Each structure stands twice: as structure tokens, then as C-alpha cells.
Amino acid sequence: MIPRKAPEAQAVAIRHVAIIMDGNGRWAKARHLPRVVGHQRGVEAVRRLTKAAREMGLEALTLYAFSTENWSRPEDEVTALMGLLKRFIQADLEEFCANNVRLKIIGDYRALPADVVAMLGDALARTAGNTGTTLVVALNYGAQDEIARAAAAAAAKGAVTVESIAAELDTADLPPLDLLIRTSGEVRLSNFLLWQAAYAEMWFTDVLWPDFTPEHLAEALAAFDARERRYGGR
Ligand code: IPE
Ligand code: IPE
Ligand code: MG
């Protein structure tokens, strides 16, 4: 059971949480294991946090899985990450459907290997009608790329305004971002949700992603409850 206040006892309802899942490599290094083992354990953390988000009633959980900059990693690591992604979605698709979880991808995922694109297309189609928590996976995602694509799409339709860009972002159909978490002690955004983070609360922890638990998420949500969001007002 996750120590979480009942929704009616929360100061504000939290609808959308995003996580920069960082520290898989350092987790493995500390144990003298190959980096890929850290990534495998990272997938286990994704599973438990997806379940926790659903049980906590979040409308959306957005996970940064592969950035536009991560292509610069060694080819064998990129290949291993793509394989893990594919196996995770394939293995958990029935679980998503059984629990009304909708899958959504942000980022230009069509640039991923063809077999991964095909598998994702199938998973997106099969979960499209689900109405529970949306699991948003950021793949080949970079906020600068997203904003540039959105601005171009807005310009092609007419006036470029804050509203017209926002309507073209990959996240346009999601609730506003409430809380952004980063694990592993790094305090930077690494090109994640730069637009959406304008008034999101931030929570940083030294915990490495493979060690992240639903209790850590509950801790972050409790910290969020204690904050006063002012949106520039007073
Ligand atoms: C995060 O872990 C996972 C991805 C970026 C895909 P890292 O692989 O960045 O782990 P560290 O930062 O090297 O520890
Ligand atoms: C951010 O982590 C990207 C993901 C978690 C997918 P990185 O490990 O790539 O970020 P930097 O290089 O430390 O900024
Ligand atoms: Mg990292």
C-alpha cells in the first residue's frame, strides 16, 4: 500500500507527473556490472512506477526514456536500449489493456528502428481506447525539437501565438504538467519538457533510477502537496 493521502485530503489534485529517469549507468558501475544491467533494472522501475501511478490515480505519467541527444551514445548501448524498449512494451501490453492504461509516445519515434516503430504503432492502436492512466513514453524526444516542430505547424496554419504553439505540442492532449522529478542527483532538465515545465514544480533526488520506488514517488507528491503554486500572482 502506498502512503498517499486520499484525493480529497490533498491540497491540490496532481494530474500529471513526469520523470527524468537517470542513473542506470552509475547504478551498474557501483556494482561492477555492465551498463545494460542498469538499464534492465531501470525497466523494472518503470514497471513498478507505472503501476503506482495508476493506483495513485494520476491521469498521466510521462517518462523520459530516450532523448534526441542519446543517439550520441555507443551503438551497442543504443541497440540494447531499443531492444529493452521493445521487449518491455511487448511483455506489458496485455497488462496495460487489463488495467485501462493508454500508451502515448512523445518525440519523433518514427525515426527509431523499423521493428520498434511497427511494434509501437500496434501498441498505440491497441491501447488508444483506454481511459485510465496515460503512460507517456518520451522517445527520440527533445523539447527544443518538439517546440520547433510545434511552431512550424502553428505557422503553417496561421498566427504563431503561445496558444497556437501549445496546441501543436506532442503533449497537447495531456493535462498540464504538475510535477517534474529527476533522479540520480543531476539538477538539470536535459532538454525535457522545457515548455511544459514553465510552472511545474520540481523535485530532485539522489536516488538512482533502478532504486526508485513508489514510496519515493509518494514522497515527491507529499512535497508537492506542501507547496504553494503562485503562477506569478500573489
Ligand atoms: C538513464 O540512465 C537512462 C537513459 C538515459 C536511457 P543513464 O544511462 O543516463 O545513467 P547514468 O547517468 O550514466 O548513470
Ligand atoms: C536524460 O538523461 C535523458 C533520459 C533520461 C532519457 P541523460 O543521462 O541523457 O542526461 P545528461 O547527459 O546527464 O544531461
Ligand atoms: Mg544519465
Side-chain angles (χ1 to χ4, degrees):
M1 189 55 205
I2 296 137
R4 173 93 182 107
K5 282 186 266 180
E8 61 276 13
Q10 288 167 29
V12 226
I14 303 178
R15 302 174 65 194
H16 184 182
V17 174
I19 309 181
I20 301 174
M21 312 183 287
D22 199 14
N24 295 352
R26 278 162 284 168
W27 184 95
K29 193 170 183 213
R31 288 159 182 79
H32 307 286
L33 293 167
R35 285 181 70 87
V36 66
V37 179
H39 293 315
Q40 285 165 354
R41 295 295 288 263
V43 173
E44 293 309 314
V46 168
R47 285 205 166 92
R48 34 176 208 272
L49 271 299
T50 301
K51 182 165 180 275
R54 176 164 64 66
E55 290 175 354
M56 290 172 176
L58 293 183
E59 286 175 50
L61 175 69
T62 299
L63 301 176
Y64 203 6
F66 195 85
S67 74
T68 47
E69 288 73 34
N70 287 147
W71 294 109
S72 67
R73 295 191 180 201
E75 198 183 326
D76 60 343
E77 183 172 355
V78 171
T79 304
L81 286 167
M82 294 300 152
L84 281 172
L85 167 73
K86 195 174 160 188
R87 285 196 294 281
F88 162 63
I89 302 285
Q90 282 174 335
D92 285 37
L93 191 53
E94 290 309 323
E95 173 95 3
F96 296 156
C97 291
N99 291 293
N100 204 18
V101 172
R102 179 173 77 108
L103 183 70
K104 178 181 167 74
I105 309 293
I106 58 171
D108 191 5
Y109 80 92
R110 288 184 204 312
L112 298 179
D115 59 326
V116 179
V117 175
M119 179 276 303
L120 288 172
D122 174 58
L124 290 170
R126 286 183 53 195
T127 64
N130 293 345
T131 54
T133 300
T134 300
L135 173 64
V136 187
V137 185
L139 289 171
N140 189 25
Y141 176 89
Q144 292 173 340
D145 172 67
E146 179 195 30
I147 294 166
R149 285 189 283 107
K157 288 184 188 170
V160 178
T161 63
V162 169
E163 290 75 22
S164 71
I165 292 175
E168 299 293 341
L169 292 172
D170 295 352
T171 55
D173 64 334
L174 296 173
L177 180 63
D178 294 308
L179 177 64
L180 177 59
I181 295 171
R182 183 169 188 149
T183 61
S184 88
E186 309 297 350
V187 185
R188 55 175 173 258
L189 295 181
S190 301
N191 203 11
F192 192 46
L193 301 179
L194 300 181
W195 180 288
Q196 296 83 350
Y199 273 100
E201 297 289 325
M202 311 263 174
W203 195 78
F204 297 94
T205 175
D206 288 341
V207 174
L208 302 175
W209 176 249
D211 291 329
F212 199 78
T213 64
E215 287 69 30
H216 293 119
L217 176 61
E219 197 185 319
L221 296 184
F224 176 97
D225 280 343
R227 294 183 192 175
E228 182 197 3
R229 299 176 88 185
R230 301 176 70 157
Y231 299 100
R234 52 167 294 195

